Amino acid sequence: MYTEQNVAEHYDNAAFQFELERLEKHCPVEYAITCRYLDRYIPKEAVVVDIGSGAGHYAAFLAKRGCSIYLIDVSARLLDAARERLERAELGHRIRAVVQTSATDLGCLGNESCDAVLMLGPLYHLRELPARRQAVNEAHRVLKEGGILFAAGINRLAYLRDLFCENPKEGVKRQAFHEEYLQAGKLDPERAAPIGYAHLTTVEEFRSLLTERFEEQALVGTESFTTVWQAKLNELSADEREAWLDLVERTGATPEGLGHSDHFLFVGKKIEA
């Protein structure tokens, strides 16, 4: 049975080591493109709440630009890892607080207390629509007027692609489940152990969720055509990397780039009530 505690246990145990190295080793395109948008939309020295901070990669990137950071996650081990990452980089003084809580309950933060909110993980572990709406409402509440939201969703087709690649015979046995999945996007550890309990989305559904409270500034596929080959980026020189990243960014906002991508990145400005 799904609870947010299940998600915390998943990242405290089975997924912990992978999450420590995922962005740098396995998903460098996702990381680099997201950082480009963070750099573009979040001012230096902004107050940022990183909800679902994971191992602290994006928090460290923003702290280096002078931002002060609230680290928030349901996983105690990942919060410790994020704090340690910033402290090793001599950025510990940029941490405002470290709080173990859900994206649906930001009672630790006051109204209009932050310049930017990052939700680069929580929305694809909140399986029910009311919970996702609550998380979006909480982000809206804590943002100042004109504040910026960064939110990530996972492409619903990514699960089917990976299943076809890794175990197509098993996939044939799941046809009844696939009918439900294509409608609701819900996964569980039995069928998708690497991600555990999750909700994967479509472009239309993701946009609809977020534009209720935020004016869309960008909606892009962070990997575009690189998807499962993005680790190749680590084999390139700095100039080669930037040339390919330019192409990824150029194509990521197209329907084709969004369709290829594993992750959708939404950038939105707070709409005043």
Side-chain angles (χ1 to χ4, degrees), residues 42-157:
I42 297 182
K44 294 180 179 179
E45 301 182 2
V47 176
V48 181
V49 53
D50 188 0
I51 310 168
S53 56
H57 292 84
Y58 295 119
F61 173 80
L62 291 170
K64 289 176 183 176
R65 300 176 68 250
C67 295
S68 56
I69 314 291
Y70 290 96
L71 296 172
I72 292 179
D73 207 291
V74 294
S75 166
R77 287 191 74 191
L78 285 177
L79 282 172
D80 287 342
R83 175 166 37 198
E84 291 169 7
R85 179 181 296 275
L86 269 67
E87 289 174 349
R88 286 197 306 272
E90 299 183 350
L91 296 167
H93 62 289
R94 297 292 181 189
I95 300 173
R96 287 208 165 192
V98 180
V99 184
Q100 185 180 6
T101 191
S102 168
T104 61
D105 182 9
L106 302 180
C108 56
L109 297 170
N111 294 349
E112 300 185 351
S113 56
C114 299
D115 300 300
V117 169
L118 274 55
M119 289 200 301
L120 300 176
L123 291 177
Y124 48 79
H125 284 299
L126 296 170
R127 298 210 327 158
E128 304 301 328
L129 179 58
R132 294 193 294 277
R133 283 180 171 157
Q134 176 63 17
V136 172
N137 288 340
E138 280 288 84
H140 186 274
R141 178 182 67 80
V142 303
L143 276 171
K144 297 176 182 177
E145 182 178 353
I148 296 292
L149 170 72
F150 279 74
I154 296 180
N155 188 333
R156 190 164 294 171
L157 295 188

Side-chain angles (χ1 to χ4, degrees), residues 24-264:
E24 293 165 318
K25 183 176 180 180
H26 303 289
C27 303
V29 175
E30 175 195 346
Y31 177 63
I33 293 297
T34 302
C35 285
R36 283 188 173 197
Y37 280 90
L38 293 174
D39 188 55
R40 190 170 299 150
Y41 284 96
I42 297 182
K44 294 180 179 179
E45 301 182 2
V47 176
V48 181
V49 53
D50 188 0
I51 310 168
S53 56
H57 292 84
Y58 295 119
F61 173 80
L62 291 170
K64 289 176 183 176
R65 300 176 68 250
C67 295
S68 56
I69 314 291
Y70 290 96
L71 296 172
I72 292 179
D73 207 291
V74 294
S75 166
R77 287 191 74 191
L78 285 177
L79 282 172
D80 287 342
R83 175 166 37 198
E84 291 169 7
R85 179 181 296 275
L86 269 67
E87 289 174 349
R88 286 197 306 272
E90 299 183 350
L91 296 167
H93 62 289
R94 297 292 181 189
I95 300 173
R96 287 208 165 192
V98 180
V99 184
Q100 185 180 6
T101 191
S102 168
T104 61
D105 182 9
L106 302 180
C108 56
L109 297 170
N111 294 349
E112 300 185 351
S113 56
C114 299
D115 300 300
V117 169
L118 274 55
M119 289 200 301
L120 300 176
L123 291 177
Y124 48 79
H125 284 299
L126 296 170
R127 298 210 327 158
E128 304 301 328
L129 179 58
R132 294 193 294 277
R133 283 180 171 157
Q134 176 63 17
V136 172
N137 288 340
E138 280 288 84
H140 186 274
R141 178 182 67 80
V142 303
L143 276 171
K144 297 176 182 177
E145 182 178 353
I148 296 292
L149 170 72
F150 279 74
I154 296 180
N155 188 333
R156 190 164 294 171
L157 295 188
Y159 158 73
L160 296 175
R161 180 203 62 208
D162 290 350
L163 179 61
F164 181 75
C165 175
E166 296 165 7
N167 198 347
K169 293 184 184 298
E170 175 61 27
V172 173
K173 302 175 185 177
R174 299 184 185 178
Q175 293 306 303
F177 168 72
H178 291 161
E179 290 300 316
E180 298 176 7
Y181 173 72
L182 287 173
Q183 294 300 314
K186 295 180 182 179
L187 290 175
D188 56 68
E190 180 183 351
R191 298 178 179 89
I195 195 168
Y197 288 105
H199 169 265
L200 276 58
T201 192
T202 66
V203 171
E204 180 180 2
E205 180 185 82
F206 193 55
R207 174 176 272 138
S208 176
L209 171 70
L210 295 162
T211 52
E212 291 179 4
R213 307 303 303 270
F214 294 90
E215 179 184 351
E216 182 178 317
Q217 307 298 297
L219 178 60
V220 300
T222 56
E223 302 92 353
S224 187
F225 54 84
T226 65
T227 52
V228 295
W229 302 280
Q230 59 178 306
K232 288 282 186 182
L233 191 74
N234 289 331
E235 302 173 11
L236 305 179
S237 69
D239 288 345
E240 291 167 338
R241 283 169 58 94
E242 291 306 307
W244 279 110
L245 288 170
D246 287 345
L247 283 171
V248 171
E249 184 175 347
R250 180 178 176 183
T251 58
T254 67
E256 297 80 11
L258 282 159
H260 268 290
S261 292
D262 278 3
H263 291 85
F264 306 141

